[in-house]
Amino acid sequence: MKELEILLLALYGLCLLFVLGFSLTQFQLTRLARRAFGQPRPGPPPPPPAVWPRVTVQLPLYNEVFVVERIITAAARLDYPADRLHIQVLDDSTDETVALAAAAVARFRAQGLRIDQVRRPDRTGYKAGALAYGLTQTDGEFIAIFDADFVPEPDFLRRTVPYFTSPEIGVVQTRWTHLNENDSLLTRLQAFGLNAHFLIEQVGRNLGGHFINFNGTGGVWRRQCIEQAGGWHADTLTEDLDLSYRAQLGPWRFVYLPQVQAPAELPATLDALKSQQYRWTKGAAETARKHLGAVLRSGKSFSTKLHAVFHLLNSTVFVAILVMALLSVPLVLIREYASEFQPVFRLAAVCVLGFLPLTYYFYTAWRLDRPTAPGWQFAPRFLLFLAVSMGLCLHNTRAVLAGLARRPTAFIRTPKMGAAPAAGRRYRTRSFSAQTVLEGLLTLYFGFGIGLGIYFGSYGLLPFHSLLVLGFGTVFYYSVRHNRAAL
């Protein structure tokens, strides 16, 4: 029995240390980002080139009835010399999106734009395959990419292309903003998390000279960088992160522009969010398996390697949280009946203070995004975000383990609803499943943990269990609610 208790404590401790390491790297990125934003206002942007280079705008689409016309119209309104601009609608659709895209392409072509609807024989390689196929059909020196849910501003290219100031710059990435942030609790919490990535992580990594990533959309590639890094690969679900690391393991540098915004639509339902989260977390695990060894063998600095390790393994945090959560209930009993382990629990309590850097990280991002908001508004938003993130850890753990095991899965695109949320249910996937039942049962399990702690007068894990109940309960509630709406 003692051996089992020691094993549980050791496993819990290892997970706690991993999360602590991740938290400390986020703290370092926060310091770098604060330094960047604390510097005097940057000078004027680089001057426009004497001759604007040829730019291809790629719009990868798959069954996007509700947003296809919006994204094509936004691309057609880009303020760029018409003789230097080529728009490619990379349309893999199998529904009436094809006809809507064709009509929009014909309309703008009649106005003098060079715009093509590119159709492939099949959907091999999903988005990566579409982007690679599009490159064979264009002569653009630079490649701007926008997913179907984006609405770039007309001056996007004029504000980004001049930042290719030297031949080793391979990517200029911009900050995502959110068209529907205030639509619901889910969209507000997603925006809260994404803002931290774009205002802290990307800024800090860029300033520190660490690996950053092209975010799949809202950025511009130098074509030569794509080709020299090996082109788009379809062996991970995050083709953007994969190519980013291959490029930066070579001679290429990336530039991040937080001042240039790329507005986009956030997933409006839990099934859409889960679809996106599964792709991101599984793809990150696949990319870690693919590139972690090369990163550690590279000539990069120790600091850059350390940040890259936690960058590539950031989805593994969900695994650590799930393991800690499952073990936390029996730990209440161990603490009560095995007094010899009390020093271990006191040490664990000290380690929990290491989560404070995450609070600092998210507070800094929130304050940068909302400089005039009352400070008290941060705490409930942060705690809700933390709880729902914990509630998704079962779902995301399945994705991480599938990625590490190289289990192949299809590229499931995130449903977009545009201005027609009621009609958007046609692309919804029912989210009620055995996993949903398990999420409901885990809500009860962690509620039992709260009861145990109160019964024994042991309140150390009460905040953790309360967040888990709130998180899993919220995920279960939205899964049931959105499943009924999809019927």
Side-chain angles (χ1 to χ4, degrees):
M1 188 65 178
K2 291 298 180 187
E3 290 78 6
L4 179 59
E5 293 172 350
I6 293 172
L7 178 62
L8 295 182
L9 285 169
L11 187 55
Y12 187 90
L14 287 174
C15 291
L16 183 61
L17 286 175
F18 179 78
V19 175
L20 175 61
F22 174 78
S23 178
L24 291 176
T25 60
Q26 300 303 90
F27 175 74
Q28 173 63 11
L29 291 176
T30 307
R31 293 184 59 196
L32 288 169
R34 287 179 65 91
R35 185 191 310 168
F37 284 109
Q39 291 173 351
R41 293 182 64 85
V51 178
W52 287 96
R54 296 187 305 277
V55 172
T56 297
V57 177
Q58 293 186 321
L59 311 176
L61 303 176
Y62 177 69
N63 294 350
E64 303 288 4
V65 165
F66 304 109
V67 295
V68 57
E69 293 175 300
R70 184 180 71 183
I71 180 56
I72 293 176
T73 299
R77 289 176 177 168
L78 288 169
D79 178 19
Y80 201 76
D83 62 331
R84 314 297 287 172
L85 180 65
H86 182 198
I87 300 173
Q88 286 185 322
V89 181
L90 305 176
D91 187 10
D92 284 346
S93 300
T94 58
D95 64 3
E96 57 264 47
T97 302
V98 179
L100 292 172
V105 167
R107 182 169 71 253
F108 289 113
R109 185 181 290 162
Q111 297 175 16
L113 282 179
R114 184 186 174 195
I115 181 170
D116 297 311
Q117 182 181 25
V118 180
R119 299 276 295 162
R120 296 190 291 159
D122 55 59
R123 202 179 169 218
T124 301
Y126 305 108
K127 180 181 175 181
L131 296 172
Y133 185 81
L135 278 182
T136 68
Q137 311 292 312
T138 188
D139 59 355
E141 304 166 70
F142 294 89
I143 311 295
I145 301 172
F146 298 104
D147 285 347
D149 51 331
F150 276 69
V151 187
E153 297 291 340
D155 63 353
F156 182 90
L157 294 177
R158 289 189 180 271
R159 295 184 68 188
T160 52
V161 170
Y163 280 88
F164 287 93
T165 53
S166 62
E168 71 271 14
I169 294 176
V171 170
V172 171
Q173 174 67 50
T174 66
R175 176 192 168 193
W176 296 3
T177 52
H178 321 292
L179 295 169
N180 59 334
E181 175 176 351
N182 295 316
D183 280 7
S184 69
L185 174 64
L186 282 182
T187 56
R188 287 191 291 271
L189 294 181
Q190 290 174 73
F192 182 85
L194 285 170
N195 288 341
H197 170 72
F198 284 100
L199 288 170
I200 302 298
E201 284 187 283
Q202 292 288 66
V203 171
R205 290 192 179 110
N206 205 211
L207 181 65
H210 306 315
F211 288 90
I212 71 168
N213 58 295
F214 169 66
N215 292 108
T217 175
V220 184
W221 282 84
R222 188 187 296 272
R223 181 184 186 134
Q224 184 184 11
C225 175
I226 296 175
E227 294 173 342
Q228 288 192 0
W232 296 104
H233 291 181
D235 56 350
T236 77
L237 291 182
T238 47
E239 73 292 324
D240 46 2
L241 182 62
D242 169 38
L243 183 56
S244 296
Y245 264 78
R246 281 187 278 123
Q248 290 170 102
L249 281 167
W252 298 99
R253 292 195 300 112
F254 288 12
V255 171
Y256 176 63
L257 303 178
Q259 70 273 25
V260 180
Q261 299 180 2
E265 178 184 323
L266 293 163
T269 60
L270 189 67
D271 55 315
L273 175 60
K274 281 185 170 181
S275 172
Q276 184 187 74
Q277 287 286 307
Y278 190 92
R279 191 173 69 249
W280 286 358
T281 51
K282 181 175 186 287
E286 292 169 331
T287 305
R289 182 173 182 134
K290 183 175 179 179
H291 293 301
L292 200 52
V295 168
L296 296 176
R297 292 189 299 270
S298 72
K300 304 292 184 180
S301 68
F302 174 79
S303 175
T304 293
K305 290 179 181 179
L306 182 63
H307 277 282
V309 167
F310 282 101
H311 186 197
L312 288 171
L313 293 178
N314 64 357
S315 61
T316 311
V317 170
F318 290 106
V319 181
I321 290 173
L322 180 62
V323 172
M324 289 171 61
L326 294 174
L327 294 179
S328 62
V329 174
L331 284 183
V332 175
L333 297 172
I334 293 174
R335 182 169 186 170
E336 179 65 22
Y337 293 112
S339 58
E340 65 270 28
F341 293 121
Q342 290 304 313
V344 177
F345 284 104
R346 285 193 288 271
L347 179 61
V350 173
C351 290
V352 168
L353 296 177
F355 287 85
L356 291 177
L358 281 180
T359 307
Y360 176 62
Y361 162 78
F362 281 106
Y363 179 78
T364 302
W366 179 79
R367 182 52 74 193
L368 287 170
D369 184 56
R370 299 172 178 269
T372 61
W376 63 266
Q377 293 181 355
F378 168 76
R381 185 71 56 90
F382 173 62
L383 291 174
L384 272 172
F385 172 80
L386 204 59
V388 173
S389 297
M390 291 178 178
L392 287 168
C393 68
L394 174 64
H395 171 80
N396 288 346
T397 292
R398 290 179 58 243
V400 172
L401 296 179
L404 294 176
R406 293 182 177 173
R407 194 171 74 210
T409 52
F411 185 104
I412 306 298
R413 33 79 83 196
T414 304
K416 292 96 176 176
M417 298 184 183
R425 70 185 60 177
R426 64 176 290 173
Y427 288 141
R428 298 262 298 277
T429 56
R430 295 187 182 182
S431 57
F432 196 88
S433 62
Q435 177 181 290
T436 302
V437 174
L438 189 53
E439 287 164 345
L441 292 174
L442 285 173
T443 306
L444 299 177
Y445 175 70
F446 298 122
F448 176 68
I450 292 176
L452 276 181
I454 294 174
Y455 177 77
F456 290 122
S458 178
Y459 302 110
L461 287 168
L462 184 62
F464 187 40
H465 287 155
S466 299
L467 286 173
L468 288 166
V469 168
L470 177 60
F472 276 94
T474 301
V475 169
F476 177 75
Y477 165 75
Y478 275 109
S479 294
V480 174
R481 174 182 167 182
H482 290 163
N483 177 73
R484 292 178 62 187
L487 295 177

